[in-house]
Amino acid sequence: MIAIIGSGISGLTVAWSLNKQVPIRLFEKHPTIGMAAFTTILNLNGNAIPFDIPFRTIKPDYYPHLYQIFAKAKIETIPVDYSFRIESEGEPVFGFKSYSLLGKTFAFPDLESLLYPKGREILKDLLRFYSSSKSEWEKFPKPASVLEFLEANQYSSAFIHDFLLPSFSLVNTCKTETVANYPAESILSYHTPGFTYTPQRTAKYGTSDISQKLSKDVDDIHFGADIKTIKRTKEGLPRIDFKDGSSQVFEHIVFSTQANQARALLGEEFGEEIKALSYFQYEASDVLLHTEENFFPIRKTALLFRVKKTEDKPEVTLDLSRILPNLKGSQVFQTWNPHSFPEDSKILKRVSFERPVVNETTKQGINLLSEFHNDPNRRVWFCGSYSLHGIPLLEAGAKSALQVASKILKKEVKDLLI
């Protein structure tokens, strides 16, 4: 029997990969699948409409493992409008719009952007970034943060501070300063597909459908799991001790929680694992579901970035009426890292998340986890968005879960996706 702790995308992927081949037991602290724990159903215009918090999108070229999982699990996706507009200190500086023609989607810089000096600087450096950053990085002294790399190569301040850092602050749900300290190769490798455009896609039936499809054959799920600690028996097998005094021994335990949550559950005999997990730090972010139209006064795009020097994160608002056709005219928005809050009557839901920080120190933890997982006698495993180099988070979570499942089953990752 294999225990899986946590049912976010990593836990669901491990469970989906292992379930038909070995007996598993999935533990989740929430009363429902963790990935959909914050999905909110609201009654609007007489219709019950689910809202995913946070709203999740993927792109086939940036999320290859996750996209293959969706295809194999028959999770349908649909393209979404992810056109955006960036405002810096209240002034528009850049934007992208998407267009559909003959069933294909294209994106171009908003022509209005070219009216602004910053917009022209951003577009020029964006084209240079896609065409030259890889060769620039090959010649650059390493290690280096993305900010060090960009400044040394004389990218414009507008491109760095009004475009690239705020964009990745949204992708990784963290402070702009945190993105600036990301290892340069993490940001650069994200753009290896080059200057091509494939539309953002989302699960056609929402996160609940993802959760249902990946867990539908898992019969042994324990919600409201009250785990006290993880110990090791004299025989070297991992054991879960529960707060009610009971315990259970497993052949393997897979942690698919955040690193800080896994660390808090490990007993003192797991000193090396606790040390490795201590290299991973987290930042908190707020997400609001609301009806305040002042957050998005000019509704020409799906996303609005607001960058302010006085704020450590960009405020990013998504106009859900452009995404969800069943809203039928209702004005509902989702805002990440709000710089101010609407009046209470307009807030439909407020959720706080923790997201992993990536820096040079993080590499030490990732390398230690990799060493642990290469041990043929390994019994306790760790997966999640924090545990791999690279961006984006959902892809890292799914990929790391596949790697753990492949180690346990002694198969290649590709064989799990056939």
Side-chain angles (χ1 to χ4, degrees):
M1 175 73 74
I2 296 173
I4 302 167
I5 301 176
S7 60
I9 189 60
S10 297
L12 290 174
T13 299
V14 173
W16 175 80
S17 302
L18 296 179
N19 187 49
K20 293 183 179 179
Q21 304 184 62
V22 292
I24 64 170
R25 180 163 293 164
L26 180 60
F27 293 95
E28 171 54 54
K29 67 180 180 181
H30 290 103
T32 186
I33 293 294
M35 188 175 183
F38 298 109
T39 295
T40 299
I41 298 177
L42 299 175
N43 289 307
L44 298 173
N45 300 323
N47 297 311
I49 301 175
F51 292 89
D52 290 335
I53 305 176
F55 186 80
R56 296 174 174 93
T57 62
I58 67 172
K59 296 179 71 173
D61 45 352
Y62 288 90
Y63 298 70
H65 292 86
L66 187 63
Y67 207 72
Q68 289 180 76
I69 291 168
F70 279 15
K72 187 170 176 61
K74 295 181 171 52
I75 297 167
E76 294 182 66
T77 64
I78 55 174
V80 295
D81 177 3
Y82 241 52
S83 55
F84 66 86
R85 170 186 174 97
I86 298 176
E87 294 181 357
S88 179
E89 304 301 327
E91 296 293 328
V93 295
F94 194 67
F96 250 79
K97 287 188 176 179
S98 55
Y99 305 88
S100 294
L101 180 65
L102 301 176
K104 293 191 176 183
T105 305
F106 307 87
F108 299 97
D110 187 347
L111 293 179
E112 187 181 1
S113 300
L114 303 181
L115 300 176
Y116 313 115
K118 281 189 175 182
R120 293 192 292 272
E121 282 186 303
I122 290 171
L123 180 57
K124 181 182 71 173
D125 278 350
L126 179 61
L127 294 173
R128 175 191 164 193
F129 184 77
Y130 276 109
S131 63
S132 305
S133 61
K134 184 177 180 180
S135 59
E136 290 169 346
W137 175 243
E138 289 173 353
K139 305 169 188 175
F140 201 78
K142 303 168 183 61
S145 70
V146 67
L147 181 60
E148 290 170 337
F149 169 78
L150 293 171
E151 289 183 336
N153 283 281
Q154 299 182 330
Y155 283 85
S156 68
S157 177
F159 176 74
I160 296 171
H161 297 287
D162 293 320
F163 177 75
L164 191 123
L165 298 187
S167 298
F168 277 93
S169 182
L170 170 66
V171 171
N172 295 292
T173 329
C174 62
K175 296 177 182 178
T176 308
E177 180 184 1
T178 300
V179 177
N181 290 320
Y182 262 55
E185 64 265 33
S186 294
I187 302 292
L188 297 176
S189 64
Y190 180 79
H191 289 282
T192 51
F195 194 44
T196 59
Y197 181 78
T198 53
Q200 296 279 356
R201 302 183 71 87
T202 192
K204 183 176 182 178
Y205 302 107
T207 299
S208 295
D209 185 55
I210 300 173
S211 301
Q212 190 274 327
K213 293 281 178 60
L214 294 181
S215 65
K216 70 174 183 177
D217 295 322
V218 181
D219 299 321
D220 198 352
I221 305 178
H222 290 240
F223 294 112
D226 217 1
I227 297 173
K228 179 181 179 181
T229 189
I230 309 300
K231 295 287 189 179
R232 186 182 286 130
T233 67
K234 293 179 180 179
E235 295 76 24
L237 294 174
R239 185 187 76 217
I240 296 179
D241 290 347
F242 298 94
K243 291 182 180 178
D244 65 3
S246 63
S247 62
Q248 186 172 2
V249 176
F250 293 89
E251 185 178 355
H252 296 275
I253 291 179
V254 180
F255 277 100
S256 53
T257 65
Q258 294 177 179
N260 52 0
Q261 295 173 0
R263 187 176 70 234
L265 292 176
L266 289 171
E268 60 183 11
E269 61 264 48
F270 293 97
E272 290 300 312
E273 288 87 346
I274 291 172
K275 177 183 176 181
L277 294 173
S278 69
Y279 285 109
F280 302 99
Q281 304 300 315
Y282 287 80
E283 287 181 0
S285 290
D286 286 319
V287 180
L288 289 184
L289 188 69
H290 63 91
T291 59
E292 178 52 76
E293 295 186 41
N294 288 334
F295 274 68
F296 214 137
I298 301 176
R299 310 269 293 283
K300 294 182 179 180
T301 58
L303 280 163
L304 173 62
F305 287 74
R306 283 176 163 159
V307 180
K308 293 183 179 180
K309 292 180 181 178
T310 56
E311 300 289 343
D312 60 5
K313 302 171 186 174
E315 175 189 277
V316 185
T317 298
L318 174 63
D319 181 359
L320 290 172
S321 66
R322 297 179 71 105
I323 306 293
L324 304 174
N326 55 352
L327 285 183
K328 296 181 179 178
S330 297
Q331 306 306 314
V332 183
F333 307 92
Q334 191 168 129
T335 297
W336 290 266
N337 305 315
H339 293 165
S340 60
F341 287 84
E343 58 185 66
D344 289 348
S345 63
K346 294 186 176 182
I347 297 177
L348 304 175
K349 186 81 171 183
R350 177 179 176 178
V351 177
S352 291
F353 293 92
E354 284 190 326
R355 291 291 188 259
V357 171
V358 177
N359 51 38
E360 288 298 328
T361 302
T362 307
K363 292 181 180 180
Q364 299 178 58
I366 292 174
N367 292 338
L368 284 173
L369 292 184
S370 179
E371 290 178 16
F372 294 158
H373 291 174
N374 285 328
D375 180 355
N377 298 314
R378 169 64 29 185
R379 296 286 182 174
V380 175
W381 309 81
F382 305 92
C383 59
S385 58
Y386 69 90
S387 64
L388 290 180
H389 298 289
I391 303 166
L393 301 181
L394 281 176
E395 169 67 9
K399 182 179 178 180
S400 64
L402 288 171
Q403 289 178 349
V404 165
S406 72
K407 293 283 187 181
I408 292 173
L409 296 174
K410 296 180 171 39
K411 293 185 175 183
E412 297 291 327
V413 166
K414 62 181 177 63
D415 294 330
L416 302 179
L417 296 170
I418 295 175

